[in-house]
Amino acid sequence: MTTTVEQPDVGVARTPPSRGVLAVAGVVAGASGIALSQATAWALRLDTSPVGAVAAVVRDATPGRLAEALIGLVGTLDKPLLLGGTVLVLLAVIGYAASWVRRVPLVPDLVFLALGGVGLAAVMSQRPGGVGAPLAVLVGLMTWVVSLRLLTGPLLDDRHGTDADARRQFLRRVGLVVVGAAAVTAAGRFAGGARRQVEQSRRLLRLPVRAGDVPQAADLKVGISPWRTPNADFYQIHTALASPTIRPEDWELRIHGLVDREVRVGYQDLVGRELTEAWVTLCCVSNEVGGDLVGNAFWSGVPVRELLARAGVDASADCVLQTSDDGWTCSTPLEALTDDRDALLAVAMNGQPLPVEHGFPVRVVVPGLYGYVSATKWVVDLEVTRFADVTAFWTERGWGERGPVKTQSRIDVPRDGESLAAGRVALGGVAWAQHTGIAKVEVQVDGGAWQEAELGGVPDDDTWVQWLLRTDLDEGDHEVVVRATDKSGYTQTPVETDVVPDGATGWDSRRFRVG
Ligand SMILES: Nc1nc2c(c(=O)[nH]1)N[C@H]1C(S)=C(S)[C@@H](COP(=O)(O)O)O[C@H]1N2
Ligand SMILES: [Mo]
């Protein structure tokens, strides 16, 4: 291959950089990318960093005998060696790729992309869900691409003056990248440290709470989602990228606005009161028909109405503007917080102090309202006010002001695409109409008559209820549709509407095969 090198209009003729120097640039860029992705993982307190996930995949893919032999060789050093080895391999690959940048400029970027893909696949295989881990991969990838350009710029671009000038520029930029990456990594570690501290104080808490007994016959045991949603499986929705980390001793709630006297409550004050316990099903307005942004838990806390009574609410108020530690807001109808329902400042979920992701140390839970107008996590401020005078995070973005939960039902079994044996089959799922109650659930098979399903036991109207219909089905393709009727007499409409602005409507249906 022959190439003609054209002299640029500006600048001085320069010696092209050696592949070795370019490889050094690659190693520095590679190391900063790894450091920044690690810092992101720490700051977001992820379970694994991208490099850790890749190392875990390597470990799992190592044949057992070989792994044993290696562990026999290196003993307890296996983990640091595995991580260190992964980093070294990464740096070697990136260094080598960078050494090509002058001759084939696309090589490093393509290698970065491929490695980013490997990292993404690794983090997804470790723990599905959540944008944190993919984000950490993306941060690393961007750092690679940007810092390699930054570092090799002076070496490749003649406008940086003489060889000596270019070398000086290069070294200055190496210093810049190294110091920058170190600073961000330190910051990430620091942010992660706050999280570790809060996890520790949470673990040491001993609250006077119970886990609650699941009522008799609540679980119909045919593969429907468990009536009690375990904390680890409970859906999570929040706008904060990293959950706020608040130590209980630092938490304070301020109640003010249209009240006789401002009230401030601390954590000890709250958990020292008599706690109310309630099963409440929480759901998200963004839940599509058939979706899984809904869960049921046993909550322990203090009724909001008790604290509002202490403050003395003005007769002109109709709304409480709630604010969380991370600045998220929601406006809640006052009457839902003052009537006799179990609207709680919750401190525990299924007998455990609230998980950090679910609002530790204190959140609000209100039966009958979607989360976006009521269920403030990390709550720190309640302002008694009027709807006419305020807006909140989601209502400013076009979502409905009041947010009462819409009556819904969902099919859990059979699962999508499942094939069943001919004969008696179980059709089942859940239905909810919090604070109204489910009166009946009906099922339609293959366009036939609506058949009433059996309902599971529930303590009151604030939770979802399981439903079950056993029916005989022949071989072939089938379709099942479900609809619920609540205790106000309303039957779910078949009209399908979007989740915006105030919750989806429509019937859930499922196609499946028998035989
Ligand atoms: N601080 C804060 N609280 C919040 C939110 C939020 O974004 N930030 N989202 C709300 C929404 S939209 C829902 S559906 C519920 C979800 O609660 P969960 O994550 O415990 O399931 O929290 C609510 N509380
Ligand atoms: Mo939500």
Side-chain angles (χ1 to χ4, degrees):
M1 192 172 82
T2 54
T3 50
T4 43
V5 178
E6 288 191 19
Q7 291 298 325
D9 302 337
V10 285
V12 205
R14 287 248 312 272
T15 333
S18 72
R19 291 189 65 183
V21 172
L22 292 174
V24 168
V27 169
V28 173
S32 350
I34 293 169
L36 258 63
S37 75
Q38 180 67 57
T40 310
W42 274 326
L44 301 183
R45 231 285 315 186
L46 305 177
D47 291 341
T48 52
S49 65
V51 171
V54 172
V57 169
V58 171
R59 179 200 57 211
D60 297 343
T62 310
R65 297 259 303 281
L66 180 60
E68 271 168 41
L70 288 177
I71 291 173
L73 218 59
V74 299
T76 56
L77 280 177
D78 60 335
K79 275 175 202 76
L81 281 179
L82 186 65
L83 272 176
T86 307
V87 169
L88 282 182
V89 169
L90 266 174
L91 292 183
V93 171
I94 294 174
Y96 179 73
S99 76
W100 281 91
V101 72
R102 192 172 64 86
R103 275 182 281 175
V104 193
L106 220 55
V107 166
D109 285 346
L110 288 178
V111 168
F112 289 150
L113 223 65
L115 292 176
V118 170
L120 198 64
V123 297
M124 303 300 257
S125 76
Q126 292 299 298
R127 175 174 279 253
V131 294
L135 189 73
V137 174
L138 191 70
V139 166
L141 179 63
M142 299 297 286
T143 309
W144 283 339
V145 171
V146 172
S147 61
L148 187 68
R149 278 193 172 53
L150 194 74
L151 292 169
T152 55
L155 303 174
L156 299 174
D157 188 341
D158 283 350
R159 274 169 304 186
H160 284 271
T162 64
D163 285 351
D165 292 339
R167 209 158 33 237
R168 237 189 331 271
Q169 267 289 345
F170 172 65
L171 289 176
R172 193 175 303 150
R173 290 191 182 187
V174 168
L176 197 83
V177 168
V178 168
V179 169
V184 174
T185 308
R189 250 210 98 79
F190 182 75
R195 171 71 190 235
R196 277 191 294 277
Q197 272 184 18
V198 168
E199 287 288 4
Q200 173 141 16
S201 30
R202 178 177 174 272
R203 261 194 310 277
L204 294 175
L205 275 179
R206 291 290 168 267
L207 297 179
V209 296
R210 299 178 301 174
D213 297 317
V214 172
Q216 280 280 316
D219 278 300
L220 299 176
K221 303 202 170 87
V222 291
I224 301 169
S225 320
W227 188 78
R228 179 214 298 273
T229 312
N231 290 355
D233 299 339
F234 209 97
Y235 80 96
Q236 290 177 20
I237 300 279
H238 46 257
T239 55
L241 200 49
S243 298
T245 46
I246 311 167
R247 294 184 311 169
E249 56 267 40
D250 297 333
W251 180 83
E252 190 182 58
L253 175 70
R254 176 171 171 241
I255 302 174
H256 61 111
L258 299 173
V259 294
D260 298 337
R261 62 203 81 81
E262 178 174 318
V263 167
R264 286 174 186 264
V265 202
Y267 190 75
Q268 282 313 321
D269 182 5
L270 203 67
V271 297
R273 294 163 155 263
E274 196 188 330
L275 297 182
T276 297
E277 303 173 315
W279 288 101
V280 178
T281 295
L282 181 62
C283 62
C284 183
V285 68
S286 301
N287 193 42
E288 311 268 354
V289 172
D292 58 5
L293 299 179
V294 52
N296 184 44
F298 186 74
W299 308 90
S300 311
V302 173
V304 180
R305 99 176 78 80
E306 284 184 12
L307 297 176
L308 288 178
R310 226 210 276 179
V313 172
D314 193 272
S316 64
D318 65 356
C319 163
V320 171
L321 182 69
Q322 306 188 38
T323 307
S324 70
D325 182 70
D326 61 305
W328 183 85
T329 53
C330 75
S331 45
T332 312
L334 179 65
E335 85 244 10
L337 301 175
T338 50
D339 65 17
D340 62 356
R341 80 184 81 187
D342 293 318
L344 298 180
L345 279 159
V347 294
M349 181 177 183
N350 290 324
Q352 299 293 321
L354 289 179
V356 172
E357 263 64 40
H358 292 289
F360 184 80
V362 183
R363 76 168 309 165
V364 175
V365 179
V366 183
L369 299 181
Y370 285 123
Y372 83 105
V373 291
S374 66
T376 311
K377 307 194 268 191
W378 317 287
V379 64
V380 293
D381 192 287
L382 300 181
E383 181 188 352
V384 179
T385 181
R386 280 180 282 252
F387 273 110
D389 297 338
V390 291
T391 57
F393 188 89
W394 286 116
T395 52
E396 282 157 21
R397 288 161 176 79
W399 294 78
E401 201 164 62
R402 306 261 163 170
V405 165
K406 290 184 177 167
T407 300
Q408 264 298 344
S409 52
R410 184 181 80 192
I411 301 167
D412 284 355
V413 285
R415 308 204 176 275
D416 221 9
E418 188 173 333
S419 57
L420 308 171
R424 202 125 186 98
V425 302
L427 311 174
V430 283
W432 59 89
Q434 293 93 306
H435 212 60
T436 304
I438 291 292
K440 71 174 173 187
V441 171
E442 295 165 291
V443 182
Q444 186 187 50
V445 182
D446 300 328
W450 288 97
Q451 308 174 58
E452 201 168 327
E454 171 194 342
L455 297 184
V458 284
D460 56 40
D461 293 333
D462 291 345
T463 71
W464 63 9
V465 51
Q466 295 195 352
W467 59 266
L468 169 65
L469 182 81
R470 292 186 197 275
T471 186
D472 289 313
L473 289 180
D474 299 333
E475 279 186 18
D477 291 327
H478 295 279
E479 184 181 27
V480 49
V481 182
V482 66
R483 71 176 187 198
T485 299
D486 65 31
K487 290 184 180 170
S488 78
Y490 167 79
T491 299
Q492 272 183 264
T493 168
V495 177
E496 291 173 13
T497 55
D498 190 32
V499 295
V500 186
D502 56 7
T505 62
W507 294 339
D508 194 17
S509 64
R510 180 84 80 247
R511 288 169 184 282
F512 58 98
R513 221 186 148 70
V514 167

